[in-house]
Amino acid sequence: MAEKASESSNSISLNTVDGKIFKVSPTIANQMQTIQSLIKAYDSSRVISLPHVNAFHLSKIIEYLEGKSATTVSAVKEFEAQFMKDLSLKQLKGLLIAVGYLKVNELLELMPKTVAKLIENKSVEFLRKFFGIVNDFTPSEEAKIREEIAWAFDGVDED
Amino acid sequence: MEEQSKRGLRISDLNDYIVQDIISILPIKEAVRTSVLSKKWEHLWKSISKLDLDEEAHENREQFKDFIENILLVFNTSGIRKFSLSFQVGEDVAQVNKWLSRVVNPNIEEVTLDLGKPEQQLFFHEHIFISRTLTKLKLSMHHVIEFPSSIQFRSLKILSMEHVIFPDTSSTQFFFSSSCPSLEELTLANCNWINVIEVIISCPLLQKLVIEEWEDNDEDDENNDPGGCKIVINGTNITSFSYGGNLINDYSLSHSTSSVTDVCIMVYREGDNWETGYFVLKLLTALANTVEKLKISDYAFEGVYLPKDCENYIFPLPCCFGTYLKTIKIYYFYGTEAELNAIKFLLQEASVLETLYVYIDEEHDYDSPTGEDMLEEIYDQIMQYPRASKDCELELE
């Protein structure tokens, strides 16, 4: 989780919600669309505050972007697999939120695949919990929906 | 500190398009089932951009057809970017035509259709054949394809056709010369050219060409008439060329294809080594100047280089053997004297060769104790041959 300090004078300083300052190169910063637009809006010498991102998630995103750019095609695949494997379910969720907020396109391509694999064949309750969904159906409404899409429940033992 | 802070965003704040990306990767049945999660989720799956329908994932044919009908009732098909259908169409041509016309929209990017043997003509929506956005099209069907009078794949980069029967010379020629200006990868797998006399495949940006044509003994298609179709390939940017088959049609590469570095040729034609050899040599000569990697099956190999089997072997050896060729792979090796002669000849000629791979035919039993000795013997024998490239290594597998 070491801060990646770039020697380059045009490096960009990012301040996470838990008060850590990260210095990143413009190449890394530009791969986060949200930061890219913030750079344009800010005076370049200022530290950019990220009220929605903590140090752990930002360090992971930087680790990914650096790891990915440094290697060959097959090595990238291996790196990506290991990168995702090392994350707990909770960390994965948090990272997904940060990646969605910062609009890191590279990870927005990869992470849905990882998440989909994880939630496949899981119960309705698991999915509600995972995605923080409040069930706003009344029991009769939910029963009606289930009836309407009974054709998609063939061969499934519902929980 | 791994926790999102209280001021931070929650997972439920995720943008819908990210959630829909996740849903679209789930098997379609599961995607539909996310309807029951909440009022918002009831509709999310209906606008995913990828729709993947596969008969195999369903218990039976009727259930699959009902499933699709149900989906199409509620799905927002105008948002589909990637569509895939795998279905043995058979007699249900009218129904499939209806599905396709519902699903294919002006912004579609990728279409994969694996349709088995339709009993009648399928009509591909004009949004497939006149598309600004389509980049990838894979079509597999045992039926004549009907090309509409106007075709324009402006953005198509990858095209794969399997078992497709081409209708006639003029429309097929038009298709392969004028319709795909952006095409980079073309695969023609077991296509049927019986209705076509001659065709020039001319795609200026084509980089990779894969041709397969193996006789199907279960078929009475008569797609192996002796003359075959004359197919000329014309593409100045082709870097990778692969042919595997029984020489059903007559392929040649025009002299402008001077960029090929990666070649794979797998040929088998019973009892006719001379013709096999001529065919392979013709291809190799056209590719000769630049080839760096060459994979070849031993039938092709014997045919070209075996003086014993072929009286007319006086063709000059393609000049890539002396200039660029660094790797040769030989498959289905049996260890016959004829094959060994051929390898001897190759080693004498290929002066910059770095590695020669020889793959023993799987059916050949080299695992028995005597077999192992024999393998060693072959290795020793090959190693004794004079080599034009002193550092060339031999891999026997």
Side-chain angles (χ1 to χ4, degrees):
Chain A
M1 194 164 316
E3 291 175 28
K4 181 74 192 178
S6 168
E7 296 306 319
S8 143
S9 60
N10 53 6
S11 71
I12 290 140
S13 301
L14 305 172
N15 188 8
T16 59
V17 65
D18 42 355
K20 278 213 168 187
I21 307 275
F22 288 75
K23 286 193 164 148
V24 296
S25 71
T27 327
I28 296 289
N30 282 330
Q31 291 179 74
M32 306 181 223
Q33 236 177 298
T34 302
I35 291 179
Q36 203 181 18
S37 48
L38 285 173
I39 294 170
K40 281 182 193 145
Y42 274 56
D43 163 4
S44 62
S45 62
R46 268 181 58 185
V47 175
I48 297 176
S49 296
L50 300 172
H52 298 303
V53 182
N54 72 25
F56 175 75
H57 297 134
L58 186 60
S59 73
K60 274 297 188 191
I61 291 170
I62 294 168
E63 180 193 327
Y64 177 82
L65 292 174
E66 283 176 345
K68 191 176 163 106
S69 61
T71 39
T72 61
V73 179
S74 61
V76 166
K77 285 232 152 125
E78 207 172 293
F79 165 76
E80 284 182 343
Q82 192 57 46
F83 181 86
M84 287 301 164
K85 226 177 101 189
D86 288 345
L87 294 167
S88 71
L89 190 67
K90 204 179 218 175
Q91 290 171 338
L92 193 75
K93 253 164 86 166
L95 187 62
L96 184 65
I97 297 165
V99 161
Y101 168 70
L102 291 173
K103 301 202 177 94
V104 190
N105 288 332
E106 301 267 3
L107 276 162
L108 280 176
E109 268 185 38
L110 178 65
M111 290 201 70
K113 292 177 195 148
T114 315
V115 174
K117 224 177 261 170
L118 211 106
I119 63 171
E120 212 183 310
N121 290 319
K122 292 290 196 291
S123 69
V124 167
E125 277 323 307
F126 179 93
L127 293 181
R128 284 200 182 118
K129 200 172 163 221
F130 184 88
F131 287 105
I133 301 167
V134 177
N135 181 11
D136 50 3
F137 286 125
T138 63
S140 67
E141 279 171 338
E142 187 177 331
K144 192 168 158 260
I145 299 281
R146 279 177 189 263
E147 204 183 302
E148 277 171 15
I149 57 157
W151 44 275
F153 278 96
D154 283 316
V156 177
D157 298 321
E158 242 326 283
D159 41 81
Chain B
M1 102 181 217
E2 289 165 17
E3 289 292 323
Q4 198 68 27
S5 94
K6 276 179 192 161
R7 291 195 303 157
L9 299 167
R10 290 158 188 271
I11 189 101
S12 50
D13 295 325
L14 270 186
N15 206 310
D16 284 353
Y17 78 88
I18 299 175
V19 175
Q20 284 171 319
D21 274 356
I22 297 169
I23 299 175
S24 72
I25 296 163
L26 293 171
I28 181 68
K29 266 190 189 175
E30 272 196 54
V32 177
R33 294 201 289 264
T34 61
S35 304
V36 303
L37 295 176
S38 74
K39 283 180 179 163
K40 181 182 161 192
W41 280 70
E42 186 187 349
H43 305 289
L44 278 179
W45 74 273
K46 296 173 188 168
S47 300
I48 55 178
S49 60
K50 189 169 139 260
L51 189 56
D52 201 342
L53 304 170
D54 184 357
E55 189 180 0
E56 301 247 309
H58 294 256
E59 272 170 28
N60 60 55
R61 185 180 180 83
E62 290 311 311
Q63 194 209 55
F64 178 63
K65 278 157 51 176
D66 288 348
F67 181 81
I68 295 183
E69 295 289 340
N70 276 314
I71 282 195
L72 294 183
L73 277 179
V74 292
F75 202 87
N76 169 23
T77 52
S78 65
I80 296 177
R81 297 292 173 271
K82 296 180 185 178
F83 175 68
S84 159
L85 173 66
S86 181
F87 179 55
Q88 296 291 316
V89 175
E91 60 185 6
D92 292 311
V93 171
Q95 198 167 12
V96 173
N97 276 331
K98 197 183 83 186
W99 296 342
L100 290 176
S101 66
R102 271 281 278 137
V103 158
V104 176
N105 62 66
N107 299 313
I108 198 130
E109 291 165 13
E110 294 183 13
V111 175
T112 302
L113 301 171
D114 188 351
L115 304 174
K117 276 191 186 173
E119 287 178 9
Q120 289 158 16
Q121 189 68 50
L122 280 158
F123 295 102
F124 295 110
H125 198 276
E126 64 165 23
H127 290 322
I128 292 188
F129 277 110
I130 306 171
S131 174
R132 289 162 182 276
T133 51
L134 191 69
T135 56
K136 193 169 164 187
L137 174 62
K138 287 185 166 191
L139 173 65
S140 173
M141 65 166 187
H142 285 269
H143 202 277
V144 177
I145 183 167
E146 189 173 299
F147 293 123
S149 57
S150 129
I151 311 172
Q152 183 63 273
F153 292 118
R154 201 171 294 181
S155 309
L156 193 69
K157 289 196 163 70
I158 300 173
L159 173 64
S160 166
M161 291 174 137
E162 196 176 348
H163 304 303
V164 171
I165 304 168
F166 293 107
D168 59 71
T169 301
S170 64
S171 68
T172 306
Q173 180 56 64
F174 181 77
F175 179 78
F176 282 111
S177 60
S178 315
S179 310
C180 314
S182 310
L183 199 63
E184 292 173 4
E185 279 186 45
L186 175 62
T187 302
L188 298 166
N190 298 314
C191 289
N192 186 326
W193 302 86
I194 190 138
N195 303 316
V196 183
I197 301 162
E198 188 175 3
V199 68
I200 300 171
I201 297 177
S202 184
C203 304
L205 301 179
L206 194 64
Q207 292 168 16
K208 187 176 175 195
L209 177 61
V210 177
I211 296 164
E212 278 185 43
E213 45 173 23
W214 299 101
E215 276 161 7
D216 189 343
N217 295 329
D218 305 331
E219 302 262 327
D220 312 317
D221 275 353
E222 295 175 10
N223 59 354
N224 49 345
D225 71 315
C229 172
K230 188 169 159 44
I231 298 157
V232 178
I233 296 136
N234 196 352
T236 46
N237 283 304
I238 301 179
T239 54
S240 168
F241 174 82
S242 161
Y243 175 90
N246 310 110
L247 312 184
I248 296 166
N249 297 288
D250 176 19
Y251 294 88
S252 55
L253 288 137
S254 80
H255 290 293
S256 61
T257 47
S258 57
S259 50
V260 181
T261 55
D262 207 340
V263 178
C264 176
I265 300 174
M266 299 280 174
V267 184
Y268 177 68
R269 180 142 168 163
E270 236 166 294
D272 196 350
N273 261 338
W274 191 86
E275 197 170 326
T276 312
Y278 179 74
F279 173 85
V280 176
L281 190 73
K282 194 174 67 172
L283 287 180
L284 279 181
T285 308
L287 299 166
N289 292 320
T290 50
V291 173
E292 288 174 11
K293 266 162 74 184
L294 175 65
K295 284 190 191 178
I296 202 159
S297 74
D298 92 318
Y299 295 106
F301 177 54
E302 275 184 27
V304 182
Y305 302 111
L306 276 186
K308 277 187 182 171
D309 289 6
C310 164
E311 289 173 9
N312 300 32
Y313 82 104
I314 46 168
F315 306 108
L317 198 62
C319 62
C320 60
F321 280 82
T323 50
Y324 291 105
L325 195 67
K326 292 177 189 148
T327 314
I328 300 179
K329 297 184 178 184
I330 299 169
Y331 294 89
Y332 306 114
F333 185 80
Y334 278 96
T336 64
E337 196 193 335
E339 286 171 329
L340 286 167
N341 269 337
I343 288 180
K344 187 173 180 181
F345 181 71
L346 265 183
L347 287 172
Q348 277 171 13
E349 298 297 325
S351 54
V352 293
L353 194 65
E354 287 169 6
T355 317
L356 172 67
Y357 295 91
V358 178
Y359 298 98
I360 311 292
D361 190 84
E362 277 177 18
E363 289 170 25
H364 213 94
D365 185 17
Y366 281 103
D367 287 336
S368 65
T370 51
E372 238 169 70
D373 290 346
M374 196 162 147
L375 200 65
E376 214 166 282
E377 209 172 278
I378 291 172
Y379 186 87
D380 290 344
Q381 195 171 349
I382 295 176
M383 288 308 281
Q384 280 169 13
Y385 294 149
R387 277 171 285 172
S389 167
K390 297 277 174 263
D391 303 326
C392 173
E393 284 179 20
L394 173 66
E395 299 278 344
L396 210 57
E397 286 171 28

